[in-house]
């Protein structure tokens, strides 16, 4: 393949249902996967997570309590075209999304008391073929979580350790940059200090880049190849720009969460662009 041309992206979201991104469309392709779980529109605060697909806003945690955070299950308030706000007792989050020029730009502003710790992730579940792969800088420190232990040789997971870190693309010998056909596995990983990744699927490229000053930036990966949930497994691939470096805020070490500075606010920008090679 030679030459790449930009593909204009268009985004849609549902403010009334957690601010969820429902479509990321470019050319003849829809990038966001849609899940099998019904009942997303009937969700109430503190309900169990409903995996409807799309892109969920996870704040102030991804795993843990509440599962996938506080904001996905609550209505957001529209304040102007493209701008929505959600107010919680301990923080307020505003988001402005535009797709002018075919590049999606999402600007965020979180206000809270100085010292407030949080993890945020753009929990994007993507509709990808088995040939797709994730490009990230080789050697990026990649944190595995305990569900990966069963995929390692006996003794491969250190006894008593909650996490295991190794270099991308094959931490602890597990090849994670290719997705392949369903094999009954499911695992999550965090690529630390990795603010820009590219999803490659055939001739298509999707680039996700996170900008934020003075906060830890990562990319989370959820690679579910028909291994979750155990009762009725399906395939879902999450590529998730993240502030922080842990899925669960409760388990986040001193350097694993974003922290509100003395100004009382944190701002960040997520940029998503697409190209197609000939």
């Amino acid at each position: 393949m030679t030459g790449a041309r930009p593909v204009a992206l268009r985004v849609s979201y549902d403010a009334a249902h957690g601010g969820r991104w429902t479509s990321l469309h470019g050319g003849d392709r829809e990038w966001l996967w849609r899940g099998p779980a019904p009942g997303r529109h009937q969700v109430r605060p503190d309900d169990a997570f409903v995996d409807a697909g799309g892109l969920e806003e996870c704040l102030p945690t991804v795993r843990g309590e509440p599962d996938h955070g506080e904001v996905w299950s609550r209505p957001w308030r529209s304040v102007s075209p493209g701008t929505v706000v959600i107010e919680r007792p301990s923080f307020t989050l505003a988001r402005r999304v535009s797709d002018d020029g075919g590049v999606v730009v999402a600007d965020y502003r979180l206000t809270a008391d100085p010292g407030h710790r949080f993890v945020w992730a753009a929990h994007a579940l993507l509709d990808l073929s088995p040939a797709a792969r994730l490009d990230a800088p080789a050697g990026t420190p990649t944190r595995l979580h305990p569900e990966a232990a069963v995929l390692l040789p006996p003794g491969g997971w250190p006894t008593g350790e909650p996490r295991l870190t190794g270099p991308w693309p094959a931490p602890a010998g597990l090849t994670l940059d290719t997705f392949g056909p369903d094999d009954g596995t499911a695992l999550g990983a965090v690529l630390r200090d990795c603010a820009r990744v590219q999803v490659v699927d055939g001739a298509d490229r999707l680039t996700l880049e996170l900008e934020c000053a003075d906060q830890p930036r990562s990319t989370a990966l959820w690679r579910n190849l028909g291994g979750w949930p155990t009762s009725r497994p399906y395939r879902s691939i999450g590529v998730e720009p993240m502030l922080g470096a842990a899925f669960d805020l409760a388990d986040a070490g001193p350097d694993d969460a974003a922290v509100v500075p003395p100004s009382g606010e944190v701002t960040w920008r997520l940029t998503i662009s697409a190209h197609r090679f000939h």
Side-chain angles (χ1 to χ4, degrees):
M1 291 182 289
T2 59
R5 62 175 179 84
V7 175
L9 293 174
R10 294 291 177 261
V11 64
S12 301
Y13 63 87
D14 185 350
H17 299 97
R20 172 173 165 259
W21 301 31
T22 55
S23 178
L24 182 66
H25 189 272
D28 57 356
R29 176 166 193 154
E30 172 57 54
W31 282 97
L32 294 182
W33 171 85
R34 292 177 173 84
R40 181 67 177 79
H41 285 189
Q42 286 72 50
V43 165
R44 296 294 180 266
D46 302 321
D47 281 358
F49 182 66
V50 175
D51 197 6
L55 186 157
E56 303 278 9
E57 301 282 358
C58 295
L59 180 78
T61 191
V62 183
R63 298 183 182 180
E65 296 294 336
D67 188 18
H68 289 73
E70 296 181 20
V71 302
W72 73 271
S73 61
R74 291 174 164 85
W76 296 43
R77 177 169 52 89
S78 295
V79 295
S80 64
T83 301
V84 292
V85 174
I86 183 164
E87 294 153 339
R88 301 294 301 134
S90 59
F91 63 83
T92 297
L93 179 67
R95 184 192 73 196
R96 181 182 185 276
V97 177
S98 69
D99 53 22
D100 299 338
V103 174
V104 174
V105 177
D107 286 308
Y108 296 83
R109 182 181 303 273
L110 182 138
T111 56
D113 290 340
H116 178 79
R117 300 176 80 242
F118 67 95
V119 171
W120 164 85
H123 186 277
L125 294 176
L126 302 180
D127 189 2
L128 302 174
S129 78
R133 69 179 193 274
L134 180 64
D135 277 354
T140 295
T142 302
R143 177 178 284 175
L144 298 173
H145 290 260
E147 65 265 20
V150 298
L151 306 178
L152 300 179
W157 191 275
T159 302
E161 290 297 320
R163 293 177 285 270
L164 179 62
T165 300
W168 181 265
L174 294 177
T175 301
L176 298 185
D177 61 333
T178 56
F179 299 127
D182 291 358
D183 61 7
T185 65
L187 61 83
V190 176
L191 287 72
R192 304 192 64 180
D193 301 317
C194 181
R196 184 182 186 274
V197 297
Q198 188 173 77
V199 177
V200 181
D201 194 4
D204 290 320
R205 308 290 189 271
L206 189 72
T207 303
L208 302 96
E209 183 167 6
L210 181 61
E211 301 170 72
C212 184
D214 304 319
Q215 301 290 348
R217 296 174 297 164
S218 304
T219 300
L221 171 66
W222 170 242
R223 197 183 73 158
N224 174 27
L225 305 181
W228 184 90
T230 54
S231 59
R232 190 174 295 177
Y234 51 84
R235 179 186 181 93
S236 57
I237 306 294
V239 178
E240 308 171 23
M242 169 185 279
L243 290 182
F247 282 120
D248 190 342
L249 179 62
D251 295 335
D255 299 324
D256 293 340
V259 181
V260 176
S263 65
E265 69 176 32
V266 179
T267 61
W268 64 94
R269 169 173 286 184
L270 173 62
T271 303
I272 306 177
S273 58
H275 290 80
R276 179 165 293 166
F277 283 75
H278 303 289

